[in-house]
Amino acid sequence: MKKSRIGVVLLLAVSVPILLPFGVFSQEIEKPRPAVMRPDAETLDRWVRDFEDAPRAPEDPMVRAGIVMRGELPVGGSLSLLNNIQYTPSARNQGSCGNCWVWAGTGVLELALKAQRDIKDRLSIEFLNSCYNSEQSYCPCGGGNLSLFSSFYAGKGLAVPWSNTNAAYIDGGGTCSGTCSAISTNPNYGISGTVSAQTVSTTSVSQDAAILNIKNILSQNRGVYFAYFLPDTGGWDNFYDFWNNQAESVIWNPDGSCGVSTAAYGGHAVVIVGYNDDDADSNNHYWVVLNSWGTSGGDRPNGLFRMKMRMNYGCTITVSGYGPLPSRQFQTLSVTFASCSFGLASTSRAFPTSAASSGSVNVTTGGTCSWAAVSNHAWITITGGSSVTGNGTVSYSVGENTGAKRRTGTITIAGQTFTVTQEGVPPAIAGRSPASGAADVAVNVPVTATFSETMSASTINASTFTLTQGGVPVAGAVSYNGGTLTATFTPLS
């Protein structure tokens, strides 16, 4: 029956397209119901304990004071971190894989990268999916939480761009089909220290306090990980209908499931990226939530939904075989991305001749740290590695030194100085007296040598200008006249 109804709609769309907007048509097509997490009672209990035992996310008192001073309770303004995340809405789609926790955690990680290093990049989902499956023998499509996410990255110490080889998402079919070793980790974003989940205080506090605590995290340019649990009947049925059939401007009220007892339930995780409470009517205040279910056939072009801000933050549902479950869990990540540091294999190079030559120096740094090499002297030319991301090699050439003096130049590499020295052309003797090969010269006659270049007087001495007779050194005094470029050896009588 439903099939024939779609056929009629299609016929109408062809004959009178102006009467059938796309939004109406798309609602006639049955849309997919993406996967949600369905943990057993034991796993659920572990997740809840992780949430409750996690350290509380620290508030920034200056941010809190600023929010209050702006009067954002109960009516204030808006904030959005969405532009700090690099994503393609249609491709931000977990499909049939229940790894929403990876998508949400990665969103929080991406916001931290932008806040700390001013880098807006799309991070790999497949990196965790494939490597967790390979190393822990557990496919993240089975569900997880922010504690598992943070433990993985604490162990890895780096995050990988989506654009790396084999790092794009391929597990939308519901199974972990990638291989950890096939994913390139170069380039990468290094993480220093620990990574841990932090819980945002929203239960056992007032509604105003819960809202202020979430706003405080967002106002620090940090994302908020939001995990929520709904009963299948009256819960997920309603949310799927909301997601698939409502516009992004419609606000979802999650309170309908509070207090419900159920044997069938599921969980989902998303990332809160902003809020808006500038309407005088508090019923129109909402959180801006980024999902990982694509665009619902284009009806949600940004992959977003709005969630009622003035909700019941202490909401629970009662799960058969488990008991009361806190159905709204707000968290964030404590993570520090490593700042860039650079090392040069050497800081100088000396060329022993005046001839043209070449050299190179290796640079080591973090996988996504960019650097440049610039010559500070015309006779040194960069021939390779002038602009590099990650480890690299700077190659350079040195022109011929036609002068007599040694010269020194520098290259600035990643903000550090690399020094190049090159010897000059050895000075030639332009004339001498007595002439070379002269005979019958008295032993006390001064000997002079005139150079082709000005010499340093300190280098012309009895050690560098010597006279012998029959192989025996002749004692004498040495002097240098810079005006005539002449050195004189005067034998002692």
Side-chain angles (χ1 to χ4, degrees), residues 327-387:
S327 60
R328 289 157 198 183
Q329 302 173 7
F330 298 84
Q331 294 186 289
T332 190
L333 278 177
S334 172
V335 58
T336 301
F337 281 96
S339 58
C340 291
S341 61
F342 304 92
L344 304 184
S346 61
T347 58
S348 64
R349 172 75 184 273
F351 292 91
T353 70
S354 62
S357 191
S358 63
S360 64
V361 57
N362 293 327
V363 183
T364 56
T365 186
T368 55
C369 293
S370 298
W371 51 271
V374 178
S375 170
N376 300 312
H377 294 81
W379 54 274
I380 304 173
T381 303
I382 305 298
T383 59
S386 60
S387 180

Side-chain angles (χ1 to χ4, degrees), residues 156-300:
K156 288 296 181 183
L158 55 88
V160 172
W162 180 295
S163 58
N164 278 17
T165 302
N166 297 319
Y169 184 59
I170 60 173
D171 296 338
T175 59
C176 291
S177 53
T179 304
C180 182
S181 59
I183 297 175
S184 173
T185 57
N186 188 27
N188 65 73
Y189 299 107
I191 296 173
S192 60
T194 61
V195 184
S196 61
Q198 296 177 333
T199 293
V200 182
S201 296
T202 54
T203 58
S204 302
V205 298
S206 69
Q207 185 184 73
D208 281 355
I211 292 172
L212 188 59
N213 290 340
I214 297 171
K215 282 185 174 182
N216 193 287
I217 300 302
L218 293 170
S219 296
Q220 297 174 50
N221 295 315
R222 302 170 68 190
V224 175
Y225 176 101
F226 175 53
Y228 58 102
F229 295 85
L230 300 171
D232 283 359
T233 303
W236 282 115
D237 290 339
N238 292 343
F239 186 79
Y240 280 125
D241 181 67
F242 163 78
W243 173 261
N244 285 327
N245 299 314
Q246 299 293 331
E248 286 185 339
S249 59
V250 177
I251 299 174
W252 175 54
N253 183 356
D255 285 347
S257 297
C258 294
V260 169
S261 296
T262 183
Y265 67 98
H268 188 45
V270 291
V271 56
I272 298 175
V273 296
Y275 64 86
N276 187 304
D277 60 358
D278 61 7
D279 195 296
D281 185 352
S282 63
N283 289 320
N284 296 327
H285 298 177
Y286 58 87
W287 301 112
V288 181
V289 186
L290 180 60
N291 204 353
S292 53
W293 287 359
T295 61
S296 185
D299 290 337
R300 291 185 178 272

